[in-house]
């Protein structure tokens, strides 16, 4: 299967597949006589696994480690569960941060008259001209 077919089969872009190959996430593709990359079913399975783990927010290194665990018959489910629980904690933190951002922006929007005047609480918030810090003071 060539790279465009592999991209279609995995839901990744050709650029991402080449990147994963360069980073050693998947082994280098075989080359056809014309120099085109040819991907095996095993490589496609690896790419699908990595894509699904990335879709769940795991980093590329974490995804690579999870794939290695999936291929290790001596793995324990406890080690996999621990990684998933850590990811859930990171997601919960991101959700909390997004909720804070939303609340602050919603307040600024509700205070904005949205008329022809120059005064704008939204820009005041962004310029740090209000008492409330953006996102609870987090950078």
């Amino acid at each position: 299967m060539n790279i465009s077919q592999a991209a279609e089969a995995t839901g990744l872009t050709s650029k991402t597949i080449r990147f994963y190959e360069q980073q050693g996430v998947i082994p280098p593709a075989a080359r056809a006589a014309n120099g085109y990359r040819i991907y095996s079913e095993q490589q496609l399975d690896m790419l699908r696994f990595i894509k699904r783990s990335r879709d769940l927010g795991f980093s590329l290194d974490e995804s690579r480690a999870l794939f290695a665990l999936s291929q290790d018959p001596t793995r324990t489910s406890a080690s996999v569960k621990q990684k998933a629980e850590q990811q859930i904690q990171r997601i919960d933190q991101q959700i909390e941060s997004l909720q804070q951002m939303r609340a602050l922006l919603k307040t600024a929007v509700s205070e904005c008259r949205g008329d022809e005047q120059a005064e704008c609480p939204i820009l005041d918030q962004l310029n740090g001209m209000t008492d409330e810090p953006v996102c609870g003071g987090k950078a």
Side-chain angles (χ1 to χ4, degrees):
M1 186 172 289
N2 68 32
I3 195 164
S4 62
Q5 293 167 326
E8 187 175 330
T10 61
L12 296 167
T13 65
S14 296
K15 183 177 180 180
T16 300
I17 294 172
R18 283 191 293 274
F19 175 76
Y20 287 172
E21 191 175 337
Q22 290 168 352
Q23 296 299 307
V25 176
I26 64 169
R31 297 285 182 152
N34 59 7
Y36 290 175
R37 290 173 167 90
I38 303 295
Y39 292 92
S40 68
E41 198 58 43
Q42 180 184 8
Q43 288 169 308
L44 295 178
D45 289 343
M46 292 174 74
L47 289 167
R48 288 183 192 107
F49 184 100
I50 298 297
K51 181 182 185 320
R52 286 189 297 269
S53 65
R54 299 283 288 142
D55 287 347
L56 292 174
F58 288 101
S59 72
L60 188 54
D61 286 338
E62 290 167 332
S63 298
R64 188 185 331 221
L66 286 167
F67 183 78
L69 283 172
S70 77
Q71 302 300 300
D72 181 0
T74 65
R75 73 177 177 270
T76 64
S77 64
S79 62
V80 178
K81 183 177 181 176
Q82 180 184 24
K83 291 178 186 309
E85 288 173 335
Q86 290 169 345
Q87 181 61 13
I88 290 169
Q89 288 175 347
R90 285 192 295 263
I91 290 169
D92 287 343
Q93 290 169 349
Q94 290 172 336
I95 290 170
E96 183 179 332
S97 178
L98 287 169
Q99 288 173 334
Q100 290 173 359
M101 284 187 266
R102 183 183 189 279
L104 287 168
L105 187 56
K106 193 170 183 176
T107 298
V109 166
S110 70
E111 292 173 0
C112 182
R113 290 189 299 247
D115 57 16
E116 300 299 319
Q117 301 297 315
E119 183 181 328
C120 181
I122 299 166
L123 293 177
D124 291 346
Q125 177 78 322
L126 294 172
N127 281 316
M129 299 173 70
T130 64
D131 292 336
E132 290 213 29
V134 175
C135 298
K138 296 179 183 175

